[in-house]
Amino acid sequence: MEETKGAKKVFGRIGLGYTGFLSASIVLQIVLRIVIQVVGQKEIFNLSRGWYLFSVSLANYAAGGLVLFLIIKNLPVTHKPVSRKPEKMLLIYSFFICISALVAGNLAGQLLMSLISALEGKPMMNPVAEVLKGLNTGTIFAIMVVMAPVCEEVLFRKLIIDRIRRYGDKAAILVSAIIFGLCHGNFYQFFYAFGIGLVFGYIYTRTGRIRYTIGFHMIINFLGSVAAIYIQNSIPLAAVYALFLYGSMIAGIVLFFVTRDKWIFWQGEESVWGSGAGKILFLNVGMILFFVLSAISFVVAEFS
């Protein structure tokens, strides 16, 4: 009973940390909007839109990350010995499974958004496409392919998994993936972010090296941003792109079922996985606050 209470407190602190992360990002956005209204949009820091978005994104990660770290820094970190040279096959099949999660999650998000759009009677808006609209390739690369993967892997893999892994890999991977998906703040991105978050979490627990997930994240974001934009005006390139994605998805689904008996999950020193795990992981004050704030963010994103 005492161990259960202790685990709930830890997961509650994690939830509170990411509530703080979202809150800091929201406050920063409000402050910036006020500043823009006061000084005028054209004069804001005398920056181009690209540099402005880069600066805002970096500020979001920095402000939210600082609040998060201050809240969870005292939670003990678990260092479990892992293979520093992971099997090549692990990275290969993880890549294809990751593409499967990306494509399937993207399709699920588009389907849901289409249904919501039909109910609301207004066209579906892809928030990522709207943000990237009009930006040059260099800016998109800097934000989506470099900054976001590095910052997000630290914030949503290393900081969280290292602090809850002692309760078992399955619990750590699931919680980190759900938080990663919800912090994207919209239905369009949630499903694929959650899916690839599961894969990234597994890779990190198996290797102990965040550089692998950063590399995978860079590839995923490159495919979804720079590559997707580049092939828009070329039918042959679009066909090759689609063939690659859907071919990789099929390969990933096959590998998912073929390799599942070989997956390795550390049980943890204080395993909570099993009957009643959901109550320990999610039914605590911190996580509930995080879910409520995430829900508000989703609603605001949909109707704004």
Side-chain angles (χ1 to χ4, degrees):
M1 182 64 71
E2 290 300 320
E3 290 183 357
T4 298
K5 289 182 178 180
K8 289 189 73 170
K9 287 182 179 179
V10 170
F11 286 101
R13 179 71 69 86
I14 292 293
L16 188 62
Y18 285 93
T19 301
F21 173 85
L22 284 182
S23 299
S25 299
I26 292 170
V27 170
L28 180 61
Q29 292 295 324
I30 293 172
V31 170
L32 286 173
R33 289 189 180 186
I34 293 173
V35 171
I36 290 173
Q37 291 296 323
V38 172
V39 304
Q41 189 170 4
K42 292 183 179 179
E43 299 177 9
I44 181 69
F45 304 134
N46 292 318
L47 295 176
S48 66
R49 180 170 177 269
W51 278 107
Y52 171 71
L53 287 174
F54 181 89
S55 302
V56 170
S57 298
L58 185 58
N60 272 328
Y61 288 128
L66 177 61
V67 173
L68 167 65
F69 179 73
L70 291 175
I71 293 174
I72 69 172
K73 67 176 182 178
N74 293 328
L75 293 178
V77 173
T78 300
H79 294 292
K80 182 183 182 298
V82 292
S83 173
R84 293 303 184 185
K85 294 183 178 180
E87 309 92 335
K88 290 182 179 179
M89 290 307 298
L90 165 65
L91 299 180
I92 292 173
Y93 70 64
S94 293
F95 172 77
F96 286 106
I97 294 174
C98 191
I99 296 294
S100 295
L102 170 68
V103 177
N106 188 47
L107 291 174
Q110 287 186 347
L111 177 60
L112 177 60
M113 291 304 295
S114 296
L115 292 174
I116 293 175
S117 177
L119 292 173
E120 293 180 2
K122 67 177 185 179
M124 180 178 67
M125 303 293 291
N126 182 339
V128 177
E130 290 300 308
V131 170
L132 299 182
K133 187 182 296 182
L135 296 181
N136 61 53
T137 304
T139 302
I140 294 173
F141 188 89
I143 296 174
M144 299 295 294
V145 185
V146 179
M147 180 173 61
V150 173
C151 293
E152 290 178 2
E153 289 310 305
V154 173
L155 292 170
F156 298 108
R157 238 66 61 190
K158 185 169 181 60
L159 283 181
I160 180 172
I161 289 178
D162 284 356
R163 285 166 173 77
I164 57 177
R165 198 179 177 202
R166 71 178 185 272
Y167 299 107
D169 283 352
K170 291 181 179 179
I173 292 169
L174 177 62
V175 170
S176 64
I178 288 177
I179 289 176
F180 180 55
L182 290 175
C183 280
H184 278 73
N186 60 80
F187 291 111
Y188 187 88
Q189 293 177 280
F190 170 76
F191 297 100
Y192 70 74
F194 170 70
I196 64 176
L198 291 174
V199 183
F200 289 169
Y202 180 73
I203 294 172
Y204 182 64
T205 58
R206 281 292 306 277
T207 66
R209 292 291 182 90
I210 201 170
R211 67 187 185 194
Y212 296 116
T213 61
I214 289 175
F216 273 45
H217 203 150
M218 287 180 169
I219 294 171
I220 292 296
N221 280 15
F222 176 83
L223 291 172
S225 59
V226 177
I229 293 172
Y230 185 74
I231 57 92
Q232 283 181 347
N233 297 321
S234 172
I235 295 177
L237 287 178
V240 172
Y241 179 80
L243 183 63
F244 168 76
L245 286 182
Y246 287 102
S248 297
M249 182 184 74
I250 294 171
I253 292 172
V254 172
L255 287 169
F256 177 84
F257 289 102
V258 170
T259 63
R260 61 180 180 175
D261 292 336
K262 299 179 181 179
W263 299 346
I264 299 173
F265 296 98
W266 183 47
Q267 295 300 309
E269 300 164 350
E270 305 173 51
S271 178
V272 297
W273 194 257
S275 178
K279 294 181 179 179
I280 297 173
L281 303 183
F282 304 117
L283 292 185
N284 52 69
V285 175
M287 281 294 184
I288 291 172
L289 285 174
F290 172 70
F291 291 145
V292 170
L293 186 57
S294 297
I296 294 172
S297 299
F298 273 55
V299 172
V300 171
E302 176 57 27
F303 291 99
S304 62

